[in-house]
Amino acid sequence: MFIPNEVGRRLKLDGYCVYFKNKNSPEKTTPKASQNLMTNGYISHPKKEVFVSGVKIFYGSQTGTAKGFATILAEALSSLNLPVAMINLKDYDPDDRLIEEVTSKNVCAFLVATYTDGQPPESAAWFCKWLEEAANDFRFGKTYLKGMRYAVFGLGNSVYLSHFNTVGKNVDKWLWMLGAHRVMTRGEGDGNVVKSKHGSVEADFTAWKTKFISRLQALCKGERKHCGGNCKKGKCESNQRGSEVAEPGSHVQEELPHRDAEDEEPFGSTNEEESDTEDHLSSNPVIDVEDLGKIMDHVKKEKREKEQLEGETSAIRSTVKSEASERRAMITPALREALTKQGYQLIGSHSGVKLCRWTKSMLRGRGGCYKHTFYGIESHRCMETTPSLACANKCVFCWRHHTNPVGTEWRWKMDQPEMILKEAIENHQNMIKQFKGVPGVKEERFEEGMTVKHCALSLVGEPIMYPEINKFLKLLHECKISSFLVTNAQFPAEIRDLKPVTQLYVSVDASTKDSLKKIDRPLFRDFWQRFLDSLKALAAKQQRTVYRLTLVKAWNVDELQAYAELVSLGNPDFIEVKGVTYCGESSASSLTMANVPWHEEVVRFVCELVDLIPDYEVACEHEHSNCLLIAHKKFKIGREWWTWIDYSRFQELIQEYEDSGGSKTFSAKDYMAKTPHWALFGANERGFDPKDTRYQRKNKSKDISGC
């Protein structure tokens, strides 16, 4: 909301924009010659290219210092006659709004403090968590924020050396990883007056503020690249008009055809003395005596880092030797680091749990995943986990780019199922707790989310490889948690021995031996026979069973008759057909966006497949996930579909099964529930729950002619 006060500069405070008059600007009168050019009181000027449309100052503060600095910066920017907005990160939703900065032509300044143990202040906790997850999530990619321009000033205290300015460094790094353009080197304020470069955190900020304003002035003129004054061989590209001033009519994206020198590394150096020392060493053969101390400090620092690296290497070697005589842990230090960066909460030596994006979405009233549409799962109460990160396949569309280990048998240390489940629930609840107070999160769903009701054993790897999988499932059911287990159809004996689960999935990624080898790249030599035997084992199961088909355009979409034959082999209750999700570039896969089918192509494939399997019909659709559900006609009572699950009834049935020692069995139809109209294929909602806000933006009619 903008409230005009006086003509002049304007300042936005916590959602309100207040205009201020520039005290240093004298009253101006319109020259008589110009009055002739005035129309309706306004002077007509030629339209000029706008290189900077405004400045947004984001702040995350615990004690108020960062907010105070943000106010000072906003007032100082008044001389540039640019709109300035101050934004408290506590009230900012990056999920919806950060992408706007890609094309806004704003320059974004982030003033963030580091609090206890290197954590962000409470007001910036959600923003930092979202930014970290986005930076490490392949679905966002390296160009998600390409076009956004930013600068960071961190507030910290070097007394706490191990956590000094951690938050500022991380925000700078994560924005860079998402493709945003750093307009100047990160600034670091130090509350330790002994170590502060300028004597205090206030002085550090003042120095950074001066540089930021100077840089902003250059950007307003269309200058692209900041000159550091250290040009080699006397050649300065920034002094050349072609490289410094943008062509009229160019856009922000066109201004940045490549990432300049400051953007080549995710961490902007803030130690100018160290930088100056390196430049001096490389460019000047004669060393000034006054610079000798700096040079020696630099040499000593390099020596310490080398000794530390050698010590770590020695420790790793000794660890390898000690573990050689016993079973190894599945999660190696390198794997732990890689998976932790991807957002996993690792459990013991071979398990993990991760918060699904649909869990976050449903907490905020934005709709659930396709399992909510097809089967009635409450996504905000679903825990995605695995007791085995290892897998027997190396699929081309692996959404973790094969960072997890592979193997054909269990050869690692084994943790007990009680410990895995206990820590999985605790880690899941801790991740849910971080959403308390986040903008848009519904209180009632947050409370519900703290109690796990469903468990998707589909996070990564092959859960059925875990030797104690049946005991783990029993523990889930004792906690009144439903079980959705996914297997890659390479362990037929384990499928036969599996105790009842709420729903058992088998991935059917191809329908011929050649295409399966090409897509799944299984480790077993007899992979095709194992695949067929797994489908036969599935047919013997009495509980709900599902084929999961992942369509990869130009790889497996032309095998309709072969798919129909596989359906008759396993006789599944349901068939999920989903377009492959592109997971970004990977040296382990040749998959590209060209292999991702359009939703209309998935619909066409499903309709043609249904024509070949007369006992099945298309039942449900979730357009957002590019996914459809084919169901056996036994789940169509009269003219109504019953694909949803009565979870309370399942818990009663599984308890009776356990109490009888396994003699009292039950079937899939014993715990089915009616499917709501909005979830059905052909409904206007296209799989969106009308109660959710996302549906409001998607509500439109649909033509399903020809299916």
Side-chain angles (χ1 to χ4, degrees):
M1 178 178 179
F2 293 96
I3 306 175
N5 185 11
E6 295 182 71
V7 178
R9 61 189 173 88
R10 57 181 179 174
L11 171 65
K12 186 174 182 183
L13 294 171
D14 296 89
Y16 294 91
C17 194
V18 183
Y19 289 76
F20 292 88
K21 187 175 181 179
N22 191 343
K23 297 178 182 177
N24 300 322
S25 300
E27 295 292 333
K28 296 182 179 179
T29 57
T30 306
K32 187 172 182 180
S34 299
Q35 291 177 0
N36 297 328
L37 300 175
M38 296 179 68
T39 306
N40 295 328
Y42 293 94
I43 298 178
S44 177
H45 293 285
K47 187 175 181 180
K48 293 183 179 180
E49 175 72 11
V50 176
F51 296 104
V52 178
S53 61
V55 180
K56 289 186 177 179
I57 305 172
F58 299 86
Y59 65 89
S61 183
Q62 190 73 29
T63 62
T65 305
K67 181 179 180 180
F69 285 172
T71 304
I72 293 171
L73 179 61
E75 292 177 349
L77 291 173
S78 62
S79 61
L80 301 183
N81 293 320
L82 288 172
V84 179
M86 273 179 61
I87 301 170
N88 188 344
L89 288 172
K90 181 180 180 181
D91 305 320
Y92 186 75
D93 186 355
D95 201 18
D96 283 341
R97 299 174 59 188
L98 196 58
I99 191 67
E100 298 171 0
E101 305 308 328
V102 169
T103 56
S104 67
K105 293 191 178 181
N106 289 322
V107 174
C108 300
F110 292 87
L111 278 57
V112 286
T114 298
Y115 197 46
T116 308
D117 296 328
Q119 297 300 310
E122 291 179 9
S123 61
W126 163 246
F127 176 83
C128 291
K129 178 176 175 55
W130 182 92
L131 197 62
E132 179 183 16
E133 291 183 352
N136 291 287
D137 191 330
F138 64 83
R139 288 169 295 207
F140 286 86
K142 299 177 182 179
T143 59
Y144 180 71
L145 294 179
K146 185 177 181 181
M148 175 181 172
R149 295 176 290 181
Y150 76 96
V152 175
F153 180 81
L155 294 81
N157 193 314
S158 60
V159 169
Y160 308 98
L161 188 59
S162 59
H163 303 303
F164 177 56
N165 260 310
T166 299
V167 177
K169 293 173 184 175
N170 284 339
V171 169
D172 186 22
K173 175 181 70 172
W174 294 329
L175 288 169
W176 181 89
M177 289 172 66
L178 288 167
H181 173 70
R182 183 191 299 121
V183 299
M184 63 177 287
T185 303
R186 182 184 68 252
E188 292 187 350
D190 191 350
N192 181 5
V193 295
V194 177
K195 295 288 186 179
S196 170
K197 186 174 182 181
H198 300 92
S200 68
V201 67
E202 291 81 6
D204 292 335
F205 170 71
T206 300
W208 177 86
K209 178 190 68 176
T210 302
K211 292 180 181 179
F212 178 74
I213 293 174
S214 175
R215 182 74 183 112
L216 202 57
Q217 290 172 328
L219 290 172
C220 289
K221 297 176 183 177
E223 297 179 7
R224 298 184 191 177
K225 191 172 179 180
H226 176 59
C227 177
N230 297 319
C231 308
K232 296 181 180 180
K233 299 181 181 180
K235 296 180 180 179
C236 181
E237 290 184 359
S238 62
N239 287 332
Q240 299 174 18
R241 185 175 184 85
S243 65
E244 186 168 343
V245 182
E247 297 271 337
S250 65
H251 298 287
V252 175
Q253 290 89 337
E254 295 170 345
E255 282 183 35
L256 308 170
H258 57 80
R259 312 198 75 169
D260 55 24
E262 277 188 358
D263 269 0
E264 287 176 1
E265 297 293 339
F267 299 100
S269 173
T270 56
N271 190 335
E272 292 184 2
E273 291 185 3
E274 182 178 309
S275 178
D276 291 344
T277 302
E278 292 175 353
D279 291 340
H280 196 82
L281 278 169
S282 62
S283 60
N284 191 354
V286 181
I287 302 174
D288 196 307
V289 175
E290 294 179 359
D291 292 331
L292 194 57
K294 296 178 183 179
I295 295 170
M296 291 305 297
D297 287 341
H298 183 69
V299 172
K300 289 178 181 178
K301 181 180 178 182
E302 285 187 338
K303 184 178 180 182
R304 284 196 302 269
E305 291 175 348
K306 183 178 180 181
E307 290 173 350
Q308 183 180 359
L309 181 62
E310 290 174 350
E312 291 175 354
T313 304
S314 177
I316 292 172
R317 286 172 182 166
S318 62
T319 302
V320 170
K321 288 180 181 178
S322 65
E323 290 184 351
S325 59
E326 59 183 25
R327 283 204 167 195
R328 295 177 298 129
M330 183 185 293
I331 304 176
T332 63
L335 178 61
R336 183 175 296 276
E337 181 181 1
L339 293 176
T340 300
K341 284 184 178 180
Q342 294 174 24
Y344 283 85
Q345 298 294 317
L346 299 177
I347 303 164
S349 62
H350 54 73
S351 308
V353 63
K354 191 175 187 291
L355 207 61
C356 173
R357 70 186 183 99
W358 288 108
T359 300
K360 305 172 191 176
S361 174
M362 206 163 190
L363 282 170
R364 308 171 83 183
R366 298 185 175 187
C369 70
Y370 71 89
K371 289 192 286 291
H372 171 62
T373 300
F374 296 172
Y375 315 118
I377 271 187
E378 297 173 279
S379 301
H380 63 300
R381 304 184 68 182
C382 182
M383 175 177 71
E384 191 174 21
T385 187
T386 181
S388 171
L389 291 162
C391 188
N393 287 350
K394 300 179 73 174
C395 304
V396 295
F397 50 76
C398 177
W399 68 312
R400 289 305 170 201
H401 295 309
H402 314 109
T403 51
N404 55 309
V406 292
T408 58
E409 62 180 357
W410 191 271
R411 50 186 173 81
W412 300 276
K413 291 180 181 178
M414 189 183 75
D415 300 324
Q416 293 305 306
E418 293 86 355
M419 182 274 287
I420 296 173
L421 180 58
K422 179 177 178 292
E423 293 196 16
I425 292 175
E426 289 176 353
N427 278 288
H428 177 81
Q429 290 173 333
N430 288 335
M431 289 186 284
I432 293 289
K433 286 178 184 177
Q434 296 175 10
F435 282 80
K436 190 171 185 177
V438 169
V441 170
K442 296 183 177 297
E443 186 176 350
E444 67 277 10
R445 289 197 176 179
F446 175 81
E447 295 298 329
E448 291 173 347
M450 291 300 294
T451 302
V452 178
K453 187 176 179 181
H454 315 286
C455 179
L457 293 163
S458 59
L459 178 60
V460 72
E462 180 64 84
I464 209 169
M465 282 182 71
Y466 176 50
E468 294 286 354
I469 186 62
N470 279 323
K471 190 173 181 181
F472 184 80
L473 291 168
K474 183 179 179 181
L475 292 171
L476 280 174
H477 299 152
E478 288 176 355
C479 295
K480 306 301 179 186
I481 299 174
S482 65
S483 51
F484 291 75
L485 189 148
V486 180
T487 176
N488 288 318
Q490 288 296 294
F491 295 91
E494 285 76 3
I495 293 176
R496 285 191 290 268
D497 295 339
L498 194 68
K499 295 291 180 68
V501 296
T502 310
Q503 190 156 282
L504 177 60
Y505 292 78
V506 168
S507 294
V508 181
D509 301 323
S511 59
T512 67
K513 184 177 180 178
D514 290 340
S515 58
L516 187 69
K517 183 177 182 179
K518 181 180 179 182
I519 294 174
D520 278 5
R521 298 189 292 188
L523 301 184
F524 285 107
R525 291 185 178 180
D526 59 340
F527 66 90
W528 182 244
Q529 190 58 51
R530 284 177 167 272
F531 178 74
L532 297 178
D533 289 345
S534 294
L535 301 187
K536 294 175 184 176
L538 193 77
K541 293 295 177 182
Q542 297 186 50
Q543 291 73 48
R544 294 167 64 107
T545 57
V546 183
Y547 275 11
R548 174 183 281 184
L549 275 62
T550 301
L551 296 187
V552 185
K553 198 172 179 180
W555 287 39
N556 65 356
V557 296
D558 300 322
E559 304 170 354
L560 283 165
Q561 186 58 49
Y563 275 119
E565 293 171 2
L566 292 181
V567 170
S568 63
L569 186 65
N571 194 29
D573 295 317
F574 305 98
I575 305 168
E576 293 176 5
V577 184
K578 186 179 186 299
V580 68
T581 299
Y582 179 59
C583 304
E585 294 180 4
S586 169
S587 58
S589 172
S590 59
L591 212 64
T592 69
M593 276 299 296
N595 298 115
V596 180
W598 294 97
H599 186 64
E600 291 78 7
E601 293 174 313
V602 176
V603 171
R604 189 183 311 119
F605 176 92
V606 166
C607 293
E608 292 175 358
L609 177 60
V610 165
D611 289 340
L612 300 175
I613 45 178
D615 291 333
Y616 295 83
E617 289 183 10
V618 187
C620 303
E621 175 186 27
H622 192 261
E623 184 189 45
H624 189 92
S625 297
N626 198 11
C627 187
L628 286 91
L629 179 69
I630 301 171
H632 196 283
K633 289 180 181 178
K634 66 183 178 182
F635 291 96
K636 194 171 188 179
I637 312 300
R639 302 184 66 180
E640 296 178 330
W641 282 109
W642 289 64
T643 66
W644 275 35
I645 297 172
D646 185 337
Y647 294 99
S648 298
R649 181 58 182 153
F650 171 80
Q651 296 299 342
E652 293 173 0
L653 293 169
I654 196 67
Q655 186 62 54
E656 292 174 4
Y657 170 86
E658 294 292 348
D659 292 343
S660 68
S663 62
K664 190 172 183 179
T665 60
F666 56 98
S667 69
K669 292 184 68 175
D670 291 335
Y671 55 102
M672 64 182 183
K674 185 179 176 181
T675 310
H677 179 269
W678 59 262
L680 300 177
F681 179 65
N684 290 337
E685 292 85 352
R686 293 190 171 188
F688 290 93
D689 191 333
K691 294 181 294 185
D692 294 312
T693 57
R694 202 179 287 272
Y695 167 67
Q696 309 302 326
R697 299 193 294 270
K698 285 281 188 177
N699 188 12
K700 53 185 177 180
S701 61
K702 175 179 176 226
D703 178 16
I704 58 166
S705 58
C707 192

